[in-house]
Amino acid sequence: MNAKRIAVLPGDGIGREVIPQALRVMEAAGAPVQFTEFDWGADRYLADGVTVPPDGFAMLDRDFDAIFVGAFGDPRVATNVHAKEILLGMRFKMDLYANVRPVRLLDSSLCPLKGIEPKDIDFVVLRENTEGVYTDAGGVFKQGTEDEIAIQEDINTYKGVARIIRYAFEYAERNPRLDGGPRKSVLLCDKSNAMTHAGGLWQRVFREISSGYPQITPKHMYVDALCMQMVRDPRQFDVIVTNNMFGDIITDLAAGLQGGLGMAASGNIHPGRTSMFEPVHGSAPPIAGKNVANPFGAILTGAMMLRHLSLSAEADRIEAAVLNAVQQKKTTQDLGGALGTREASEWVLARAQRV
Ligand code: NAD
Ligand code: IPM
Ligand code: MN
């Protein structure tokens, strides 16, 4: 088999610590992959002002099978312009419309809720990834005066809403639960009681599309109530579909159920096109460079990418090795272990290795 061509963008902060470890694990697992690294990030931007080189996104799309990303964000770049242009640039300009964020609990010791076991948390958040308030449409008038007006528009298009909702129903049909059982419901998370224009569109399109999937139960929750339910009883969730901003917020909350941001994986997908995979966490500047960041979110993201590339055996081996590390407490401090980023990765690597 030809090696899969992977563009690697470690980015900033802990991205530069966890991504190299995830690459080593994928290689050790025997995945036929060829990595090409790019230096896009804060250092490059501060050195020459370039965030994305000319033709950058077209090159990623043309020359690679997938993109593997760390995180962007650096205290020296107060505007965060490089993160906006690189990360949101990939999501928007490459039209990676489905942000897929699986939420799984590997071991009950990782969940802050009492009485919750791995079988109780197995859901996915499908976050619209190209619209909403993230388009940054709007503007400022009379800035710096007491008459200042700041407008941040929430863009919702029929096509954008329809394709992510359809993706959610298709996902439910095609992705059984970890225990092998079928996914039975798709829940729309919105704030249609207050944001009636956008909410009305989402509600109507959700009704329209759900009628084509009679075997899947359509559900609805307002985002505020959903946050409460996620903490009270996460067992009830299966497939959640929501807009860009609510998806951002509830997936950090959901990461809390999994053991923290260091455990959460994600994919930014446009079916049939070069897609992008990144851990949910950011660059975590306060802990960067100290060998304390949890590499498992990045490693599990690597497994997710391999599965997307039809390398399921390698993905399975990596996921099993991470599960084993968690069960044996061979983890970084955020999960209660005593290992560093490199040492926890080594442990996983040794067990993911193809023999
Ligand atoms: P963050 O995810 O970087 O950190 C939030 C908290 O979680 C911190 O306490 C951090 O120490 C902890 N944490 C995160 N990842 C961890 C890991 N792997 N191991 C152990 N602990 C971990 O979010 P933030 O602090 O809000 O943002 C920091 C910077 O990262 C900002 O510039 C932000 O814009 C950026 N950011 C980027 C991305 C991305 O590129 N995908 C995502 C989120 C935040
Ligand atoms: C994420 C991050 C990004 C987002 C930031 C860095 C713009 O928080 O990937 O969850 O809000 O989408
Ligand atoms: Mn986020």
Side-chain angles (χ1 to χ4, degrees), residues 12 14 18 69-75 77 80 82-83 87 91 101 248 252 260-263 278-287 292-298 332 334:
D12 306 329
I14 63 169
V18 298
V69 168
F72 299 93
D74 186 301
V77 186
N80 213 27
H82 70 299
L87 181 71
R91 292 179 184 170
R101 298 189 159 185
D248 178 48
D252 266 33
L261 276 163
M263 293 303 288
E278 50 167 347
V280 174
H281 66 71
S283 54
I287 63 166
V292 300
N294 183 349
F296 292 174
T332 44
D334 55 311

Side-chain angles (χ1 to χ4, degrees), residues 12 16 39-51 73-82 86:
D12 306 329
R16 295 162 68 142
D39 65 354
W40 307 1
D43 279 352
R44 168 83 186 269
Y45 172 66
L46 290 167
D48 65 10
V50 173
T51 55
D74 186 301
R76 295 169 300 167
V77 186
T79 58
N80 213 27
V81 60
H82 70 299
I86 302 168

Side-chain angles (χ1 to χ4, degrees), residues 12-68:
D12 306 329
I14 63 169
R16 295 162 68 142
E17 294 175 82
V18 298
I19 293 303
Q21 298 303 330
L23 301 184
R24 294 180 62 219
V25 171
M26 283 186 264
E27 274 172 344
V33 283
Q34 186 185 53
F35 298 122
T36 307
E37 201 164 313
F38 294 90
D39 65 354
W40 307 1
D43 279 352
R44 168 83 186 269
Y45 172 66
L46 290 167
D48 65 10
V50 173
T51 55
V52 180
D55 194 44
F57 297 128
M59 176 272 299
L60 292 178
D61 196 40
R62 185 182 61 230
D63 297 344
F64 294 95
D65 297 306
I67 309 163
F68 192 56

Side-chain angles (χ1 to χ4, degrees), residues 132-204:
V133 293
Y134 277 71
T135 60
D136 214 20
V140 182
F141 183 48
K142 296 186 180 175
Q143 193 168 34
T145 75
E146 288 190 357
D147 295 321
E148 180 164 347
I149 298 170
I151 296 174
Q152 196 82 45
E153 299 284 6
D154 183 12
I155 310 288
N156 298 263
T157 68
Y158 177 85
K159 285 182 184 165
V161 171
R163 66 181 178 173
I164 190 66
I165 290 175
R166 193 166 297 113
Y167 190 95
F169 281 92
E170 290 292 318
Y171 187 99
E173 279 207 331
R174 292 181 191 172
N175 294 272
R177 297 174 56 87
L178 292 176
D179 65 11
R183 297 209 174 266
K184 292 183 180 150
S185 69
V186 175
L187 182 148
L188 171 63
C189 163
D190 68 17
K191 188 64 189 169
S192 52
N193 50 354
M195 301 163 79
T196 58
H197 310 303
L201 175 63
W202 279 81
Q203 292 264 336
R204 181 165 48 81

